[in-house]
Amino acid sequence: MSNKVIYAIYNDDDVLMDAVKKTRAAHYHIEEVFSPFPVHGLDKAMGLAPTRLAICAFLYGLCGISFGTFLMNYVMIQDWPQDIGGKPSFSYIENMPSFVPIMFEETVFFAAHLMVITFYMRSKLWPFKQAENPDVRTTDDHFLMEVAVNDNESELVSFFENTGAVEVKVIEKH
Amino acid sequence: MYTFSSKLKTFSFILMAVGLLGIGYGFYTAPKDIKEVEQLLAAENHGGHGAIKHEVSVANESHVVGEDSKVAKVSEEAEHSEHLNHVLHQLQNKPWAALYVACIFFLLISMGTLAFYAIQQVAQAGWSPVLFRVMQGITSYLPVASILFFILLVLSGLHFNHLFVWMSEGVTDPKSANFDEIIAGKSGYLNFPFWIVRAAIFLLGWNLYRYYSRKNCLAQDEADDNLNYKKNFKISAAFLVFFIVSESIMSWDWIMSIDPHWFSTLFGWYVFASFFVSGITMIAMVTLYLKSKGYLEYVNTSHIHDLAKFMFGISVFWTYLWFSQFMLIWYADIPEEITYFVTRIQVYNLPFFGAVAMNFLFPLLILINTDFKRITWVVVMAGIVILLGHYVDFFNMIMPGTVGDQWFIGVSEIASVLFFAGLFIFVVFTTLTKAPLLAKRNPFIEESKHFHY
């Protein structure tokens, strides 16, 4: 079984959107689309599931506020409840206003950083990562749609030539 | 064109009638003299003297501070009568303060809407022009509210009530028993003629902007160039400059001067955030109502989503200012500043912290979700809580300085809100019938019709 794919290359995002819609209508499986910039509505046209990154961030924020509360409660109230300038260190709630800046910043810190790390992990990005660029022009001014070939090579090539592609290549993938 | 449904009209009349009856009842049942207060207090606490004396210390700070030195000297008998006099003033203030809170709350809702409208004009927002007529409808309540509120201010100045301590007889006179050195020192700013002239200028300025903005907007529909639109852009920019100055001074004059011994520098912003978010919420609520009746063809869930985002964001902004004001004063704990919050925490505990729950926690948890911001009933529910929460916020600002520990959300308070709500509904929806609900030739109207997020 060969794993051949079609690279259909476009030079306009509107043409690309049309091509994606046609490809979906013809029930060809789109492996990937490469674009130099975010194309508004592309994910919807491709039928990608919405991201759940925001839900992650909310949960991380909850962790952050819990950590901030725990930290200040342990340090300032439980461990060594000193009288510092007359602040009431008898219970957490009594001295709560002075802890709010820390609780807030911890929430934002956890939510932001953990969400970014989640994003890197989910999209497999890290410093010495090998770039996965099928065609260098896709980072500059070309769009590329990758579609799997299953014994219907000539049919696919002619299909993509009709969608306004400036170039259609058949590539053997390893 | 919108037609005022007869049901809603009847509803607004019922609100006004019930409100008026309740307001009248509130004034009728307020004690007339010290004897009635004595009977009231005797009925309330059977402990007699001891319990009553205890109340003096908790009672309204702004009244008490100036009297402290005197109170120590006078005999118990005199102290008792002084206390009764104090409670009498508070109880007599109650229906007035209820009226005042409701009146300024609805006045400022229409001001919040007007400020939002002006910002949308100046920012050349592409999403909001389909909502301009709704906003103009809401701000049409401004002239009516201005007149009523101005009358209320004049009545205060004519000593029909004791809402403003600094207006009482003799506070600036060193020979008077009422003399208050702190207030006397502020009398260059806090004197009735200057105060009422400022109020007149601000109300006039706001109303002028509203009048001309609406007029130009309607003229733009019939014009064949964009001159009216450009005029509106310019007067909106000028209005926003005037607004932010007048708003700040307004908050000192109409709200902060209720507690004339206290001051806070970010008070103007805090008041602004409170009524700005109420105004935006009101836009969302009226829009959703009209949409549900099928009058706003081009308003889609994306417009609602944007409004809900503003409700969410400005709610958090209000909380930021609320907390900044509270925390700075709490942290430093300077006696002349902290009394403001001592009264509120001791005597108004539930409304004081309840307002934070209603205006921050609830919208924070409900409106953070993108899908929820597009669901009508979620936005309406959040809107109701936000509006009630900001009523409580104004209640917290005004009541402690006027009625002190005699506060209660009873007939007077609810009836005042009902009356102004009815009047608001009547005026707003009457205006909405006067012009098409879609501006025709606004340069951004096409973009706004096809707005989607």
Side-chain angles (χ1 to χ4, degrees):
Chain A
M1 168 105 188
S2 72
N3 25 353
K4 277 185 179 173
V5 290
I6 292 247
Y7 281 170
I9 300 178
Y10 302 88
N11 58 5
D12 186 288
D13 49 344
D14 286 337
V15 181
L16 173 78
M17 284 289 280
D18 277 348
V20 167
K21 281 172 195 156
K22 278 182 199 157
T23 312
R24 291 253 299 161
H27 297 294
Y28 295 128
H29 179 67
I30 302 172
E31 300 269 321
E32 194 65 89
V33 173
F34 294 87
S35 158
F37 53 78
V39 177
H40 187 73
L42 184 61
D43 52 341
K44 228 172 227 164
M46 286 172 69
L48 299 181
T51 174
R52 287 167 297 185
L53 212 49
I55 299 170
C56 289
F58 185 78
L59 297 176
Y60 297 148
L62 290 183
C63 295
I65 200 166
S66 310
F67 177 71
T69 310
F70 160 76
L71 178 77
M72 299 318 291
N73 183 51
Y74 179 68
V75 173
M76 300 300 289
I77 310 293
Q78 303 298 329
D79 191 34
W80 198 352
Q82 286 186 99
D83 182 340
I84 305 169
K87 286 277 164 294
S89 301
F90 308 109
S91 72
Y92 191 75
I93 198 72
E94 274 181 277
N95 211 358
M96 214 271 267
S98 53
F99 303 145
V100 165
I102 293 143
M103 290 156 71
F104 171 76
E105 294 294 345
E106 290 286 5
T107 311
V108 175
F109 180 86
F110 273 59
H113 289 83
L114 292 180
M115 175 176 70
V116 167
I117 293 168
T118 308
F119 167 72
Y120 286 152
M121 283 165 59
R122 289 293 288 146
S123 41
K124 303 191 178 68
L125 287 174
W126 62 88
F128 302 97
K129 181 196 165 80
Q130 204 68 43
E132 297 165 358
N133 230 341
D135 190 315
V136 285
R137 290 171 298 172
T138 59
T139 62
D140 181 17
D141 61 348
H142 280 67
F143 306 85
L144 187 149
M145 181 170 19
E146 183 184 317
V147 177
V149 176
N150 320 298
D151 306 328
N152 51 355
E153 191 179 316
S154 55
E155 186 193 329
L156 268 183
V157 171
S158 64
F159 173 82
F160 280 109
E161 273 164 353
N162 283 332
T163 56
V166 289
E167 209 179 305
V168 180
K169 291 193 282 190
V170 182
I171 300 278
E172 184 85 35
K173 240 190 167 183
H174 302 292
Chain B
M1 285 296 260
Y2 170 70
T3 40
F4 200 162
S5 86
S6 61
K7 256 190 202 159
L8 191 64
K9 197 179 263 180
T10 319
F11 178 64
S12 72
F13 281 131
I14 292 173
L15 284 182
M16 279 190 270
V18 171
L20 268 183
L21 281 177
I23 293 170
Y25 174 81
F27 278 104
Y28 179 72
T29 50
K32 310 282 173 299
D33 52 34
I34 288 189
K35 269 183 201 145
E36 277 182 53
V37 178
E38 206 153 26
Q39 284 164 358
L40 265 175
L41 287 181
E44 262 172 34
N45 47 76
H46 303 281
H49 256 283
I52 291 172
K53 249 194 296 175
H54 173 67
E55 267 177 28
V56 176
S57 58
V58 224
N60 185 5
E61 303 287 332
S62 59
H63 286 268
V64 171
V65 169
E67 295 160 3
D68 263 354
S69 53
K70 261 185 291 132
V71 169
K73 281 178 218 151
V74 291
S75 69
E76 197 162 292
E77 205 53 33
E79 189 180 319
H80 181 56
S81 79
E82 184 150 347
H83 168 64
L84 288 179
N85 202 28
H86 180 68
V87 175
L88 173 68
H89 279 185
Q90 291 183 333
L91 287 175
Q92 283 180 334
N93 264 344
K94 215 171 154 285
W96 283 102
L99 203 61
Y100 189 85
V101 174
C103 191
I104 197 171
F105 180 61
F106 280 95
L107 166 75
L108 291 182
I109 282 182
S110 58
M111 273 315 290
T113 307
L114 193 66
F116 189 73
Y117 168 79
I119 291 170
Q120 297 299 311
Q121 300 263 355
V122 171
Q124 306 191 336
W127 66 279
S128 51
V130 290
L131 301 173
F132 278 175
R133 291 288 153 82
V134 176
M135 298 185 206
Q136 286 170 359
I138 297 173
T139 56
S140 67
Y141 177 66
L142 185 64
V144 180
S146 303
I147 293 167
L148 290 178
F149 186 69
F150 193 75
I151 292 173
L152 212 50
L153 293 185
V154 171
L155 289 181
S156 302
L158 297 178
H159 303 294
F160 279 85
N161 56 52
H162 307 278
L163 289 182
F164 297 90
V165 186
W166 58 267
M167 281 177 185
S168 333
E169 304 276 358
V171 278
T172 55
D173 178 10
K175 280 173 223 124
S176 161
N178 257 341
F179 179 61
D180 184 323
E181 203 176 343
I182 295 175
I183 292 178
K186 293 184 182 186
S187 61
Y189 183 79
L190 285 183
N191 60 74
F192 180 68
F194 188 27
W195 180 81
I196 200 75
V197 166
R198 284 196 302 268
I201 292 172
F202 299 159
L203 291 171
L204 203 65
W206 301 342
N207 277 293
L208 280 177
Y209 168 69
R210 198 213 81 85
Y211 176 77
Y212 283 107
S213 174
R214 164 103 169 163
K215 199 177 149 198
N216 290 338
C217 187
L218 293 178
Q220 173 75 12
D221 273 8
E222 311 300 327
D224 41 18
D225 55 17
N226 284 336
L227 269 180
N228 292 297
Y229 171 78
K230 288 177 185 163
K231 247 192 249 168
N232 253 1
F233 178 88
K234 284 179 196 153
I235 62 170
S236 301
F239 165 73
L240 283 172
V241 175
F242 174 74
F243 170 73
I244 204 60
V245 176
S246 55
E247 190 276 331
S248 198
I249 300 175
M250 167 278 277
S251 72
W252 311 332
D253 282 4
W254 300 346
I255 302 176
M256 201 158 76
S257 81
I258 298 254
D259 300 278
H261 286 182
W262 180 81
F263 52 87
S264 162
T265 42
L266 62 65
F267 196 73
W269 278 110
Y270 168 66
V271 173
F272 168 72
S274 189
F275 70 77
F276 193 51
V277 68
S278 310
I280 295 167
T281 306
M282 192 53 91
I283 298 172
M285 307 275 270
V286 175
T287 304
L288 283 171
Y289 172 78
L290 292 173
K291 177 79 187 159
S292 74
K293 298 280 168 196
Y295 285 107
L296 295 170
E297 190 187 343
Y298 292 101
V299 172
N300 54 42
T301 49
S302 295
H303 294 101
I304 304 303
H305 187 180
D306 264 25
L307 284 170
K309 274 192 280 188
F310 271 107
M311 284 160 62
F312 174 75
I314 309 295
S315 285
V316 176
F317 178 63
W318 173 86
T319 316
Y320 167 62
L321 293 172
W322 179 91
F323 181 71
S324 300
Q325 177 168 280
F326 171 67
M327 195 266 250
L328 283 182
I329 291 176
W330 172 87
Y331 208 105
D333 206 20
I334 301 174
E336 68 250 39
E337 288 181 348
I338 197 68
T339 50
Y340 186 80
F341 288 111
V342 168
T343 320
R344 276 156 185 80
I345 290 173
Q346 286 179 352
V347 188
Y348 289 74
N349 199 288
L350 183 65
F352 186 65
F353 293 110
V356 183
M358 292 169 89
N359 296 334
F360 174 62
L361 285 181
F362 188 79
L364 178 83
L365 295 175
I366 287 293
L367 292 177
I368 200 166
N369 189 314
T370 296
D371 297 328
F372 283 5
K373 281 187 278 235
R374 292 165 176 266
I375 302 172
T376 304
W377 71 266
V378 172
V379 178
V380 169
M381 183 178 64
I384 291 171
V385 173
I386 290 176
L387 286 176
L388 288 176
H390 284 283
Y391 171 77
V392 174
D393 187 31
F394 276 93
F395 186 87
N396 286 336
M397 289 191 245
I398 288 161
M399 287 298 175
T402 49
V403 303
D405 57 350
Q406 302 297 323
W407 74 277
F408 186 67
I409 297 191
V411 175
S412 290
E413 286 76 9
I414 294 169
S416 301
V417 172
L418 292 184
F419 171 73
F420 285 105
L423 187 64
F424 181 84
I425 291 171
F426 179 71
V427 173
V428 168
F429 286 90
T430 304
T431 312
L432 287 172
T433 61
K434 299 268 169 67
L437 287 180
L438 186 69
K440 256 180 253 155
R441 289 194 63 264
N442 186 297
F444 290 96
I445 198 76
E446 278 309 309
E447 184 183 339
S448 181
K449 281 182 192 171
H450 303 291
F451 172 71
H452 97 110
Y453 167 77

